[in-house]
């Protein structure tokens, strides 16, 4: 499969709650609207399935990849003939019956409803920022993913998968770039405090250093009494220019023409990858 010359991606913003049915209905409406407006691939954010109000609720609502939630999205993809980026999904771990732990999982689904790639979030958000009112310990119930996954060919280009906090680790984005990514995607639920300070600058930095498009679906607003998200679902081009921003107030989407010629011309005009030294050079301080 090759990408269409000017295919359209829809980068969505939602406000998930613990109500899985309401969340599916809201996401379904966005996917349907995106398809009507010409999108061939739709990106939904981390926690598109739900955002729980406690550790216990988060675990109790989780499912396997063969459960009802992913089955419903497979039916939707088949019906609309659209590709989906779903991440992160609260996936029950392989030892669920004994340890009650989950993965934070990014799924790429094709227009036949088949899962074509699964990435499990590898960097977990364990952060205490008392002066900002931020206290989250994702590792308390989430298993870190074992590895990166190769970029996957889609109708809009070759997509490299990350999730939220992965955005802060350029090693991940550079690895995906080396393995052929045209597009990096970071479905997220950034906190209000960290989002206001870091969200846009990090996304633009990842685009600039890899010379990839960056698509970042986002959660926005108040999920329940304990948690709110920054919003500003963003699309950035390989030069670092913001192509679309959903704002910080309400659900919605931005539609982006994915012109992969921009990737090629940016890389030709400033061949950063060719100028990068071998891995040993960057480790020379450790061996000195």
């Amino acid at each position: 499969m090759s990408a269409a010359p000017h295919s359209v991606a829809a980068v969505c913003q939602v406000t998930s709650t613990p109500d899985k049915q309401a969340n599916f209905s809201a996401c379904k409406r966005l996917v349907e609207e995106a398809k009507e407006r010409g999108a061939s691939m739709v990106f939904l954010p981390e926690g598109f399935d739900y955002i729980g109000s406690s550790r216990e609720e988060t675990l109790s609502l989780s499912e396997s990849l063969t459960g009802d939630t992913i089955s419903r999205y497979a039916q939707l993809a088949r019906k609309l003939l659209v590709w989906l980026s779903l991440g992160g999904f609260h996936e029950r771990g392989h030892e669920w019956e004994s340890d009650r732990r989950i993965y934070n999982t990014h799924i790429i689904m094709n227009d036949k409803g088949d899962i074509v790639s699964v990435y499990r979030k590898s960097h977990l958000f364990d952060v205490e920022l008392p002066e900002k009112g931020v206290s989250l310990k994702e590792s308390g119930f989430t298993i870190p993913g074992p590895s990166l996954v190769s970029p996957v060919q889609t109708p809009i280009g070759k997509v490299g998968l990350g999730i939220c906090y992965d955005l802060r680790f350029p090693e991940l984005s550079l690895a995906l770039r080396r393995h052929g990514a045209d597009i990096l995607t970071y479905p997220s639920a950034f906190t209000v405090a960290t989002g206001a300070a870091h969200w846009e600058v990090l996304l633009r930095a990842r685009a600039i250093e890899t010379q990839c498009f960056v698509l970042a679906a986002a959660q926005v607003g108040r999920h329940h009494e304990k948690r709110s998200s920054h919003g500003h679902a963003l699309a950035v081009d390989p030069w670092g220019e913001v192509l679309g921003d959903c704002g910080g107030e309400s659900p919605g989407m931005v539609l982006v023409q994915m012109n992969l010629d921009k990737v090629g011309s940016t890389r030709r005009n400033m061949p950063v990858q060719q100028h990068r030294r071998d891995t040993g050079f960057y480790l020379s301080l450790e061996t000195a």
Side-chain angles (χ1 to χ4, degrees):
M1 181 207 313
S2 58
H6 298 288
S7 51
V8 176
V11 183
C12 295
Q13 180 160 285
V14 304
T15 307
S16 292
T17 71
D19 186 335
K20 291 164 73 172
Q21 176 56 47
N23 298 335
F24 177 76
S25 296
C27 289
K28 179 174 179 283
R29 286 193 296 270
L30 284 173
V31 174
E32 289 170 340
E33 179 186 345
K35 177 64 177 181
E36 289 173 4
R37 295 173 64 184
S40 56
M41 188 163 184
V42 183
F43 292 77
L44 293 174
E46 181 180 37
F48 69 96
D49 50 348
Y50 63 89
I51 292 182
S53 60
S54 67
R55 179 184 187 277
E56 292 71 25
E57 184 173 54
T58 297
L59 291 174
S60 69
L61 291 173
S62 65
E63 299 179 24
S64 73
L65 293 181
T66 57
D68 182 61
T69 296
I70 297 304
S71 296
R72 296 177 80 182
Y73 278 98
Q75 292 170 11
L76 183 63
R78 281 195 298 272
K79 177 184 175 184
L80 297 179
L81 297 175
V82 66
W83 283 60
L84 299 175
S85 163
L86 306 170
F89 169 72
H90 297 82
E91 179 198 3
R92 292 189 173 182
H94 303 314
E95 306 297 328
W96 169 257
E97 293 302 326
S98 60
D99 67 10
R100 290 297 193 268
R101 288 167 67 78
I102 61 176
Y103 290 108
N104 188 338
T105 300
H106 187 167
I107 300 156
I108 300 293
M109 185 177 287
N110 69 17
D111 57 1
K112 299 178 180 64
D114 301 322
I115 294 174
V116 296
S117 188
V118 174
Y119 165 69
R120 296 177 174 97
K121 186 179 181 183
S122 48
H123 301 97
L124 302 183
F125 189 71
D126 288 2
V127 175
E128 296 284 343
L129 302 172
E131 72 282 2
K132 302 289 187 184
V134 175
S135 177
L136 286 169
K137 189 174 178 61
E138 191 174 18
S139 68
F141 52 88
T142 305
I143 309 162
S147 64
L148 303 183
V149 299
S150 296
V152 59
Q153 186 65 57
T154 76
I156 66 168
K158 208 164 186 180
V159 176
L161 279 61
I163 302 173
C164 199
Y165 192 53
D166 288 331
L167 174 60
R168 295 183 182 271
F169 300 89
E171 299 89 346
L172 182 148
S173 58
L174 290 168
L176 294 172
R177 161 71 178 89
R178 285 195 300 273
H179 286 268
D182 305 309
I183 300 153
L184 302 176
T185 184
Y186 295 100
S188 296
F190 255 55
T191 69
V192 173
T194 57
H198 301 150
W199 173 245
E200 181 177 323
V201 70
L202 283 170
L203 290 167
R204 295 181 69 191
R206 297 296 84 86
I208 293 164
E209 71 196 3
T210 61
Q211 300 172 313
C212 288
F213 282 94
V214 171
L215 304 179
Q219 292 283 346
V220 67
R222 187 174 177 86
H223 309 293
H224 44 71
E225 68 279 2
K226 299 178 183 176
R227 187 168 174 188
S228 298
S229 291
H230 173 65
H232 292 278
L234 224 61
V236 185
D237 79 3
W239 186 247
E241 179 181 354
V242 175
L243 302 176
D245 181 341
C246 280
E249 300 298 325
S250 59
M253 74 178 74
V254 293
L255 295 176
V256 187
Q257 289 275 351
M258 301 300 295
N259 181 3
L260 296 186
D261 291 342
K262 179 76 171 182
V263 175
S265 63
T266 302
R267 294 176 181 179
R268 282 192 305 274
N269 295 341
M270 187 182 291
V272 173
Q273 187 68 12
Q274 294 176 35
H275 298 156
R276 186 165 278 114
R277 303 289 293 268
D278 63 74
T279 303
F281 174 82
Y282 298 105
L283 295 174
S284 59
L285 286 175
E286 298 179 23
T287 58

